[in-house]
């Protein structure tokens, strides 16, 4: 584990490589995205997580173009909003996202939520892959029953399930289900949107390691073999969040962090979606 780095990648089930750490840009405007994504690329991030729902694909695309970093060196994820779940709707939404981003393909295209016609949307992913508009396809906020449902409609196995994941929401069963099926788990809101950074147990552990609580949370995720996409609009925090590859949490302390689990969601719980 100690040999992980900011350029470390997870090999997805179709052979595509996804950088283990990315920058999330939820609640970032187009204008801000144009600046912060360039700053992130400058720091060394090569994985950007956006979505049609974030209304900042244009800014993200502009930043990548203006950064001077070759397009093929950046892993771009975007997502299909659930009002576009459905076969024809998903195809059209994908074209809109590519246009906004100003690219001919994304590296990962995700169904954002399992609501509505998810089987139709998943069938559209096959065509999107065939047409080269995405290099890999996956889902977000899917529980095992949602995954079983789409996989019963298509032979395509999602490459990624992006879900809320942190020691405070340690989704152990989902992780082991996804491992069995060859689906990579990607942790969103890995910093609990900042809401548990003052947890006294976390603060005490961070002090022992000479690290920040945010770094402990991110290291915990990548040590479990998952990708993480923390969001920050501040370069100093982007640097802090990327400085997690030169230390390791001991097995004992990782187990202690596992016990922080309190089923804590900062976003909707997909458990409510049939
Ligand atoms: N698929 C989905 O349904 C879904 C849902 C939610 C999120 N996501 C993705 O996951 C990404 C990350 O999740 P998130 O934005 O919800 O939350 P997060 O990454 O857990 O936390 C972001 C918050 O923490 C602050 N922060 C960042 N680094 C920090 C540090 N080192 N120390 C203290 N505070 C820090 C940020 O403020 P500043 O920006 O001011 O630094 C921001 O307020 C999103 O941007 C999005 O791309 C996906």
């Amino acid at each position: 584990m100690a040999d992980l780095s900011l350029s470390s990648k997870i090999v997805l089930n179709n052979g595509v490589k996804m950088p283990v750490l990315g920058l999330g840009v939820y609640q970032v405007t187009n204008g801000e995205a144009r600046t912060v994504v360039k700053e992130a690329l400058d720091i060394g991030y090569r994985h950007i997580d956006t979505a049609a729902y974030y209304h900042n694909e244009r800014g993200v695309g502009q930043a990548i173009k203006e950064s001077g970093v070759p397009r093929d060196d950046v892993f771009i994820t975007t997502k299909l909003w659930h009002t576009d779940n459905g076969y024809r709707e998903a195809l059209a939404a994908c074209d809109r996202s590519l246009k906004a981003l100003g690219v001919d393909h994304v590296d990962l295209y995700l169904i954002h939520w399992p609501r509505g016609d998810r089987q139709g949307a998943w069938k559209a992913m096959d065509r999107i892959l065939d047409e080269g508009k995405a290099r890999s396809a996956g889902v977000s906020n899917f529980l095992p029953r949602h995954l079983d449902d789409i996989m019963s409609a298509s032979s395509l196995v999602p490459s990624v399930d992006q879900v809320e994941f942190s020691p405070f929401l340690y989704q152990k069963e989902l992780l082991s289900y996804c491992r069995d099926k060859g689906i990579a788990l990607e942790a969103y809101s890995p910093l609990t949107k900042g809401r548990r950074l003052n947890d006294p147990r976390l603060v005490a552990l961070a002090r022992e390691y000479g690290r920040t609580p945010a770094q402990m949370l991110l290291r915990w995720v990548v040590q479990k073999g998952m990708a993480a996409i923390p969001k920050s609009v501040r370069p100093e925090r982007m640097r802090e969040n990327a400085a997690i590859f030169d230390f390791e949490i001991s097995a004992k302390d990782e187990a202690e962090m596992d016990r922080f689990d309190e089923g804590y969601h900062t976003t909707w719980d997909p458990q409510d979606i049939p």
Side-chain angles (χ1 to χ4, degrees), residues 13-14 16 91 94 105-109 122-138 154 156-159:
N13 58 11
N14 61 350
V16 168
L91 296 177
C94 178
H105 70 275
V106 289
D107 298 281
L108 178 62
Y109 196 40
W122 191 241
K123 286 181 193 155
M125 287 292 184
D126 239 338
R127 180 152 159 203
I128 287 166
L129 290 173
D130 269 357
E131 291 178 346
K133 292 178 177 174
R135 293 173 65 226
S136 45
S154 157
L156 182 65
V157 177
S159 290

Side-chain angles (χ1 to χ4, degrees), residues 53-272:
Y53 180 68
Y54 304 168
H55 300 290
N56 59 19
E57 290 167 312
R58 191 163 46 81
V60 168
Q62 282 172 329
I64 293 170
K65 277 206 187 81
E66 291 166 5
S67 71
V69 176
R71 160 68 187 96
D72 289 349
D73 291 356
V74 186
F75 189 96
I76 307 175
T77 300
T78 196
K79 313 183 194 86
L80 169 75
W81 190 236
H82 64 81
T83 48
D84 288 315
N85 279 355
Y87 187 79
R88 277 182 307 135
E89 295 85 345
L91 296 177
C94 178
D95 288 341
R96 283 197 302 275
S97 282
L98 293 180
K99 191 166 174 220
L101 283 159
V103 295
D104 60 5
H105 70 275
V106 289
D107 298 281
L108 178 62
Y109 196 40
L110 302 178
I111 300 180
H112 208 146
W113 282 91
R115 297 178 197 282
D117 182 11
R118 58 187 174 231
Q119 287 195 351
W122 191 241
K123 286 181 193 155
M125 287 292 184
D126 239 338
R127 180 152 159 203
I128 287 166
L129 290 173
D130 269 357
E131 291 178 346
K133 292 178 177 174
R135 293 173 65 226
S136 45
V139 297
S140 178
N141 299 298
F142 274 50
L143 299 172
R145 65 170 181 276
H146 305 129
L147 288 159
D148 287 339
D149 180 53
I150 56 164
M151 289 192 286
S152 72
S154 157
S155 56
L156 182 65
V157 177
S159 290
V160 168
D161 190 2
Q162 182 186 112
V163 297
E164 182 162 5
F165 209 102
S166 76
F168 300 94
L169 179 60
Y170 181 19
Q171 306 201 57
K172 215 172 174 174
E173 288 80 30
L174 180 63
L175 180 59
S176 95
Y177 171 97
C178 286
R179 281 206 173 124
D180 276 0
K181 304 275 181 197
I183 302 169
L185 262 197
E186 183 175 25
Y188 79 66
S189 306
L191 304 175
T192 65
K193 294 196 197 297
R195 294 177 196 162
R196 286 288 185 276
L197 294 179
N198 292 326
D199 180 281
R201 298 161 301 173
L202 176 63
V203 171
L205 262 187
R207 206 166 281 139
E208 270 180 46
Y209 281 81
R211 298 286 165 162
T212 66
Q215 289 173 326
M216 296 300 286
L217 293 182
L218 295 172
R219 180 70 207 185
W220 180 86
V221 167
V222 302
Q223 262 187 224
K224 294 210 179 285
M226 293 182 283
I229 45 168
K231 173 258 176 188
S232 181
V233 294
R234 308 179 203 207
E236 68 280 9
R237 284 183 174 173
M238 292 180 203
R239 273 192 205 92
E240 174 187 332
N241 296 344
I244 55 166
F245 298 106
D246 57 347
F247 79 108
E248 197 165 355
I249 301 171
S250 72
K252 176 181 142 292
D253 292 335
E254 187 180 328
E256 183 182 338
M257 290 177 75
D258 293 354
R259 290 190 291 274
F260 292 177
D261 181 34
E262 49 177 276
Y264 181 66
H265 283 269
T266 65
T267 303
W268 304 307
D269 183 351
Q271 203 59 256
D272 303 333

Side-chain angles (χ1 to χ4, degrees), residues 7-57:
S7 50
S8 292
K9 297 182 176 77
I10 289 177
V11 182
L12 304 180
N13 58 11
N14 61 350
V16 168
K17 293 177 181 163
M18 177 172 81
V20 70
L21 192 79
L23 181 80
V25 293
Y26 180 43
Q27 292 175 322
V28 175
T29 64
N30 266 312
E32 270 183 311
R34 196 168 171 180
T35 306
V36 300
V37 169
K38 265 187 277 188
E39 283 164 344
L41 293 171
D42 201 37
I43 288 166
Y45 285 77
R46 290 293 180 268
H47 173 176
I48 309 295
D49 183 83
T50 182
Y53 180 68
Y54 304 168
H55 300 290
N56 59 19
E57 290 167 312

